[in-house]
Amino acid sequence: DAGITQSPRHKVTETGTPVTLRCHQTENHRYMYWYRQDPGHGLRLIHYSYGVKDTDKGEVSDGYSVSRSKTEDFLLTLESATSSQTSVYFCAISFKQGDTEAFFGQGTRLTVV
Amino acid sequence: DAKTTQPNSMESNEEEPVHLPCNHSTISGTDYIHWYRQLPSQGPEYVIHGLTSNVNNRMASLAIAEDRKSSTLILHRATLRDAAVYYCILDKYSGGSNYKLTFGKGTLLTVNP
């Protein structure tokens, strides 16, 4: 299995509080991604990174920010959590894009009350 | 953005072949066709990918239509462990070296003993 770890695995937080989710990899892969998964929507891309300090928005980036200060860590921050951000969040990594496979973490279940 | 269309659900019997269809009529020439699957409470798992030619690996085969507007994932002998949601995804070229994995809703495969 690819070395990819998400933390925390479960979190309950209150509306309006900041939340940071961490994705840590030991594979030295260049590309990292954050997705959210909700019933009826499949997985939707939030943000992705194509190198240290290089990030870009996905299709559902509003309300989220990311940072990547070193290759192995990709942080997803909800500046002020809302109930609509209750979801399961998945991190993924890949060596390159297009002609390669991506590896996914086990997910973080976030509940905003 | 290029989209894929898959049946919501399919059913199969154990040890029989399964053909999972996917339509992607707006595919671009540089888009790779990827298949991932997701077991309950787990992150997506890579199955196979291709560009133009049919592909085989230890898990499955991928048959790509000549015009690339459709593809079929073939599980040669379904087992109970193959019961999952299968996603057909276009690894979409978005400029430079940046591809984005865009997920649809997938096909829920049920395997009967």
Short mmCIF file of all heavy atoms in Angstrom, two decimals, chain A residues 2 4 29 31-33 35 91-105, chain B residues 34-36 43-49 89 91 101 103:
data_model
loop_
_atom_site.label_atom_id
_atom_site.label_comp_id
_atom_site.label_asym_id
_atom_site.label_seq_id
_atom_site.Cartn_x
_atom_site.Cartn_y
_atom_site.Cartn_z
N ALA A 2 0.42 2.25 -0.74
CA ALA A 2 1.16 3.51 -0.76
C ALA A 2 1.13 4.14 0.62
O ALA A 2 0.18 4.01 1.35
CB ALA A 2 0.53 4.45 -1.78
N ILE A 4 0.36 6.76 2.58
CA ILE A 4 -0.43 7.98 2.66
C ILE A 4 -1.30 7.91 3.90
O ILE A 4 -2.02 6.92 4.10
CB ILE A 4 -1.24 8.19 1.36
CG1 ILE A 4 -2.11 9.44 1.46
CG2 ILE A 4 -2.08 6.99 1.02
CD1 ILE A 4 -2.71 9.84 0.11
N HIS A 29 5.81 11.71 -3.82
CA HIS A 29 5.07 12.01 -5.03
C HIS A 29 4.86 13.52 -5.16
O HIS A 29 4.64 14.21 -4.17
CB HIS A 29 3.71 11.30 -5.03
CG HIS A 29 3.82 9.84 -5.36
ND1 HIS A 29 4.99 9.23 -5.71
CD2 HIS A 29 2.88 8.87 -5.39
CE1 HIS A 29 4.78 7.94 -5.95
NE2 HIS A 29 3.51 7.70 -5.75
N TYR A 31 2.40 15.17 -6.91
CA TYR A 31 1.03 15.67 -6.95
C TYR A 31 0.22 15.18 -5.75
O TYR A 31 0.27 14.01 -5.38
CB TYR A 31 0.34 15.24 -8.24
CG TYR A 31 1.01 15.78 -9.48
CD1 TYR A 31 2.00 15.05 -10.13
CD2 TYR A 31 0.69 17.03 -9.96
CE1 TYR A 31 2.64 15.55 -11.25
CE2 TYR A 31 1.32 17.55 -11.08
CZ TYR A 31 2.30 16.81 -11.71
OH TYR A 31 2.93 17.32 -12.82
N MET A 32 -0.53 16.10 -5.18
CA MET A 32 -1.42 15.75 -4.06
C MET A 32 -2.76 16.44 -4.27
O MET A 32 -2.82 17.54 -4.84
CB MET A 32 -0.80 16.17 -2.72
CG MET A 32 0.53 15.48 -2.43
SD MET A 32 1.19 15.84 -0.79
CE MET A 32 0.14 14.82 0.26
N TYR A 33 -3.82 15.77 -3.81
CA TYR A 33 -5.18 16.23 -4.08
C TYR A 33 -6.04 16.11 -2.82
O TYR A 33 -5.85 15.21 -2.02
CB TYR A 33 -5.84 15.36 -5.16
CG TYR A 33 -5.01 15.11 -6.39
CD1 TYR A 33 -4.03 14.13 -6.40
CD2 TYR A 33 -5.23 15.82 -7.57
CE1 TYR A 33 -3.27 13.88 -7.53
CE2 TYR A 33 -4.49 15.57 -8.70
CZ TYR A 33 -3.51 14.58 -8.68
OH TYR A 33 -2.77 14.35 -9.80
N TYR A 35 -10.16 15.74 -2.01
CA TYR A 35 -11.51 15.54 -2.51
C TYR A 35 -12.48 15.51 -1.33
O TYR A 35 -12.10 15.17 -0.22
CB TYR A 35 -11.64 14.20 -3.24
CG TYR A 35 -10.94 14.10 -4.57
CD1 TYR A 35 -9.60 13.72 -4.64
CD2 TYR A 35 -11.61 14.35 -5.75
CE1 TYR A 35 -8.96 13.61 -5.86
CE2 TYR A 35 -10.98 14.24 -6.98
CZ TYR A 35 -9.66 13.87 -7.02
OH TYR A 35 -9.03 13.76 -8.24
N CYS A 91 -7.72 12.36 0.63
CA CYS A 91 -6.48 12.86 0.05
C CYS A 91 -5.99 11.84 -0.95
O CYS A 91 -6.18 10.62 -0.76
CB CYS A 91 -5.44 13.07 1.16
SG CYS A 91 -3.82 13.55 0.57
N ALA A 92 -5.35 12.30 -2.01
CA ALA A 92 -4.77 11.40 -2.99
C ALA A 92 -3.41 11.92 -3.41
O ALA A 92 -3.12 13.12 -3.31
CB ALA A 92 -5.68 11.26 -4.22
N ILE A 93 -2.56 11.00 -3.87
CA ILE A 93 -1.23 11.38 -4.35
C ILE A 93 -0.96 10.68 -5.67
O ILE A 93 -1.51 9.61 -5.95
CB ILE A 93 -0.12 11.00 -3.34
CG1 ILE A 93 -0.05 9.49 -3.12
CG2 ILE A 93 -0.34 11.71 -2.01
CD1 ILE A 93 1.14 9.04 -2.26
N SER A 94 -0.12 11.30 -6.49
CA SER A 94 0.32 10.62 -7.71
C SER A 94 1.70 11.10 -8.08
O SER A 94 2.08 12.24 -7.79
CB SER A 94 -0.66 10.83 -8.86
OG SER A 94 -0.70 12.18 -9.26
N PHE A 95 2.46 10.21 -8.73
CA PHE A 95 3.83 10.53 -9.13
C PHE A 95 3.84 11.55 -10.25
O PHE A 95 4.66 12.47 -10.26
CB PHE A 95 4.52 9.24 -9.55
CG PHE A 95 5.91 9.45 -10.07
CD1 PHE A 95 6.93 9.87 -9.23
CD2 PHE A 95 6.20 9.24 -11.41
CE1 PHE A 95 8.21 10.07 -9.71
CE2 PHE A 95 7.47 9.43 -11.90
CZ PHE A 95 8.48 9.85 -11.05
N LYS A 96 2.93 11.35 -11.20
CA LYS A 96 2.78 12.30 -12.30
C LYS A 96 1.31 12.32 -12.64
O LYS A 96 0.49 11.71 -11.95
CB LYS A 96 3.62 11.91 -13.50
CG LYS A 96 3.32 10.53 -14.06
CD LYS A 96 4.19 10.23 -15.25
CE LYS A 96 3.88 8.84 -15.82
NZ LYS A 96 4.68 8.52 -17.02
N GLN A 97 0.93 13.01 -13.67
CA GLN A 97 -0.48 13.09 -14.02
C GLN A 97 -0.71 12.50 -15.40
O GLN A 97 0.16 12.48 -16.24
CB GLN A 97 -0.96 14.54 -13.97
CG GLN A 97 -0.99 15.08 -12.55
CD GLN A 97 -1.51 16.50 -12.48
OE1 GLN A 97 -0.94 17.39 -13.08
NE2 GLN A 97 -2.57 16.72 -11.74
N GLY A 98 -1.93 12.00 -15.57
CA GLY A 98 -2.32 11.43 -16.84
C GLY A 98 -2.05 9.94 -16.90
O GLY A 98 -2.90 9.12 -16.60
N ASP A 99 -0.85 9.57 -17.26
CA ASP A 99 -0.51 8.18 -17.51
C ASP A 99 0.06 7.51 -16.26
O ASP A 99 1.16 6.97 -16.28
CB ASP A 99 0.49 8.12 -18.66
CG ASP A 99 0.72 6.70 -19.15
OD1 ASP A 99 -0.10 5.83 -18.83
OD2 ASP A 99 1.74 6.49 -19.83
N THR A 100 -0.70 7.58 -15.18
CA THR A 100 -0.25 6.94 -13.95
C THR A 100 -1.44 6.76 -13.02
O THR A 100 -2.51 7.30 -13.26
CB THR A 100 0.83 7.77 -13.25
OG1 THR A 100 1.41 7.01 -12.19
CG2 THR A 100 0.22 9.03 -12.64
N GLU A 101 -1.26 5.99 -11.97
CA GLU A 101 -2.34 5.81 -11.01
C GLU A 101 -2.19 6.75 -9.84
O GLU A 101 -1.10 7.22 -9.52
CB GLU A 101 -2.35 4.36 -10.50
CG GLU A 101 -1.10 3.97 -9.73
CD GLU A 101 -1.11 2.51 -9.35
OE1 GLU A 101 -1.85 2.16 -8.41
OE2 GLU A 101 -0.37 1.73 -9.97
N ALA A 102 -3.33 7.04 -9.22
CA ALA A 102 -3.35 7.82 -8.00
C ALA A 102 -3.65 6.90 -6.82
O ALA A 102 -4.32 5.89 -6.97
CB ALA A 102 -4.40 8.93 -8.08
N PHE A 103 -3.10 7.25 -5.67
CA PHE A 103 -3.33 6.48 -4.45
C PHE A 103 -4.13 7.35 -3.49
O PHE A 103 -3.82 8.53 -3.31
CB PHE A 103 -2.01 6.08 -3.81
CG PHE A 103 -1.15 5.23 -4.69
CD1 PHE A 103 -0.17 5.81 -5.47
CD2 PHE A 103 -1.32 3.86 -4.74
CE1 PHE A 103 0.63 5.03 -6.29
CE2 PHE A 103 -0.53 3.07 -5.56
CZ PHE A 103 0.45 3.66 -6.34
N PHE A 104 -5.13 6.74 -2.88
CA PHE A 104 -6.02 7.50 -1.99
C PHE A 104 -5.81 7.08 -0.54
O PHE A 104 -5.52 5.93 -0.24
CB PHE A 104 -7.48 7.25 -2.37
CG PHE A 104 -7.91 7.99 -3.60
CD1 PHE A 104 -7.57 7.52 -4.86
CD2 PHE A 104 -8.63 9.16 -3.50
CE1 PHE A 104 -7.95 8.20 -6.00
CE2 PHE A 104 -9.02 9.86 -4.64
CZ PHE A 104 -8.68 9.37 -5.89
N GLY A 105 -6.00 8.06 0.34
CA GLY A 105 -5.99 7.77 1.76
C GLY A 105 -7.30 7.14 2.19
O GLY A 105 -8.22 6.96 1.38
N HIS B 34 -9.53 6.41 -16.94
CA HIS B 34 -9.14 5.69 -15.72
C HIS B 34 -10.36 5.00 -15.12
O HIS B 34 -11.48 5.52 -15.20
CB HIS B 34 -8.60 6.68 -14.68
CG HIS B 34 -7.23 7.18 -14.95
ND1 HIS B 34 -6.18 6.94 -14.10
CD2 HIS B 34 -6.74 7.90 -15.97
CE1 HIS B 34 -5.09 7.51 -14.59
NE2 HIS B 34 -5.40 8.10 -15.72
N TRP B 35 -10.11 3.90 -14.45
CA TRP B 35 -11.14 3.24 -13.66
C TRP B 35 -10.61 3.05 -12.24
O TRP B 35 -9.48 2.57 -12.03
CB TRP B 35 -11.52 1.88 -14.24
CG TRP B 35 -12.40 1.97 -15.45
CD1 TRP B 35 -12.01 2.20 -16.74
CD2 TRP B 35 -13.81 1.82 -15.49
NE1 TRP B 35 -13.09 2.21 -17.58
CE2 TRP B 35 -14.22 1.97 -16.84
CE3 TRP B 35 -14.79 1.56 -14.53
CZ2 TRP B 35 -15.56 1.87 -17.25
CZ3 TRP B 35 -16.11 1.47 -14.92
CH2 TRP B 35 -16.49 1.62 -16.27
N TYR B 36 -11.44 3.45 -11.30
CA TYR B 36 -11.17 3.23 -9.88
C TYR B 36 -12.38 2.53 -9.28
O TYR B 36 -13.48 2.59 -9.82
CB TYR B 36 -10.94 4.57 -9.15
CG TYR B 36 -9.60 5.19 -9.43
CD1 TYR B 36 -9.37 5.86 -10.63
CD2 TYR B 36 -8.56 5.10 -8.51
CE1 TYR B 36 -8.13 6.42 -10.91
CE2 TYR B 36 -7.32 5.65 -8.79
CZ TYR B 36 -7.12 6.31 -9.98
OH TYR B 36 -5.89 6.85 -10.26
N GLY B 43 -11.13 4.40 0.82
CA GLY B 43 -10.81 5.31 -0.25
C GLY B 43 -10.83 4.59 -1.58
O GLY B 43 -10.72 3.37 -1.65
N PRO B 44 -10.96 5.34 -2.68
CA PRO B 44 -10.93 4.72 -4.01
C PRO B 44 -9.62 3.98 -4.25
O PRO B 44 -8.56 4.36 -3.73
CB PRO B 44 -11.07 5.91 -4.96
CG PRO B 44 -11.79 6.94 -4.16
CD PRO B 44 -11.26 6.77 -2.77
N GLU B 45 -9.70 2.94 -5.06
CA GLU B 45 -8.55 2.10 -5.39
C GLU B 45 -8.40 2.05 -6.90
O GLU B 45 -9.37 1.82 -7.63
CB GLU B 45 -8.80 0.69 -4.83
CG GLU B 45 -7.78 -0.34 -5.24
CD GLU B 45 -8.19 -1.75 -4.86
OE1 GLU B 45 -9.42 -2.03 -4.82
OE2 GLU B 45 -7.31 -2.59 -4.62
N TYR B 46 -7.21 2.26 -7.38
CA TYR B 46 -6.93 2.22 -8.81
C TYR B 46 -7.20 0.83 -9.37
O TYR B 46 -6.87 -0.18 -8.76
CB TYR B 46 -5.48 2.61 -9.06
CG TYR B 46 -4.98 2.36 -10.46
CD1 TYR B 46 -5.24 3.27 -11.47
CD2 TYR B 46 -4.25 1.22 -10.75
CE1 TYR B 46 -4.76 3.05 -12.76
CE2 TYR B 46 -3.77 0.98 -12.03
CZ TYR B 46 -4.03 1.89 -13.03
OH TYR B 46 -3.56 1.67 -14.30
N VAL B 47 -7.83 0.78 -10.56
CA VAL B 47 -8.05 -0.50 -11.23
C VAL B 47 -7.22 -0.58 -12.52
O VAL B 47 -6.41 -1.48 -12.69
CB VAL B 47 -9.55 -0.69 -11.56
CG1 VAL B 47 -9.75 -2.00 -12.32
CG2 VAL B 47 -10.40 -0.68 -10.29
N ILE B 48 -7.40 0.40 -13.40
CA ILE B 48 -6.74 0.32 -14.70
C ILE B 48 -6.87 1.67 -15.41
O ILE B 48 -7.76 2.46 -15.05
CB ILE B 48 -7.36 -0.82 -15.54
CG1 ILE B 48 -6.45 -1.29 -16.67
CG2 ILE B 48 -8.74 -0.42 -16.07
CD1 ILE B 48 -6.89 -2.63 -17.29
N HIS B 49 -6.02 1.93 -16.39
CA HIS B 49 -6.20 3.13 -17.20
C HIS B 49 -5.63 2.90 -18.59
O HIS B 49 -4.80 1.99 -18.79
CB HIS B 49 -5.58 4.36 -16.54
CG HIS B 49 -4.08 4.45 -16.68
ND1 HIS B 49 -3.22 3.75 -15.87
CD2 HIS B 49 -3.31 5.18 -17.53
CE1 HIS B 49 -1.97 4.05 -16.21
NE2 HIS B 49 -2.00 4.90 -17.20
N ILE B 89 -13.39 7.48 -15.11
CA ILE B 89 -12.93 8.86 -14.93
C ILE B 89 -12.06 9.27 -16.10
O ILE B 89 -11.26 8.49 -16.59
CB ILE B 89 -12.08 8.96 -13.65
CG1 ILE B 89 -12.89 8.56 -12.42
CG2 ILE B 89 -11.51 10.37 -13.47
CD1 ILE B 89 -12.01 8.12 -11.28
N ASP B 91 -9.02 11.48 -16.94
CA ASP B 91 -7.93 12.26 -16.35
C ASP B 91 -7.69 13.40 -17.32
O ASP B 91 -6.97 13.27 -18.31
CB ASP B 91 -6.70 11.38 -16.17
CG ASP B 91 -5.73 11.99 -15.19
OD1 ASP B 91 -5.96 13.12 -14.72
OD2 ASP B 91 -4.73 11.34 -14.88
N LEU B 101 -8.25 14.58 -12.05
CA LEU B 101 -9.13 13.42 -12.00
C LEU B 101 -10.52 13.89 -11.62
O LEU B 101 -10.73 14.33 -10.50
CB LEU B 101 -8.62 12.42 -10.97
CG LEU B 101 -7.53 11.45 -11.38
CD1 LEU B 101 -7.11 10.61 -10.19
CD2 LEU B 101 -7.98 10.56 -12.52
N PHE B 103 -14.27 12.80 -10.98
CA PHE B 103 -15.12 11.64 -10.72
C PHE B 103 -16.58 11.91 -11.06
O PHE B 103 -17.06 13.02 -10.88
CB PHE B 103 -15.05 11.26 -9.24
CG PHE B 103 -13.79 10.55 -8.84
CD1 PHE B 103 -12.60 11.24 -8.73
CD2 PHE B 103 -13.81 9.19 -8.56
CE1 PHE B 103 -11.44 10.59 -8.36
CE2 PHE B 103 -12.65 8.53 -8.18
CZ PHE B 103 -11.46 9.22 -8.08
#
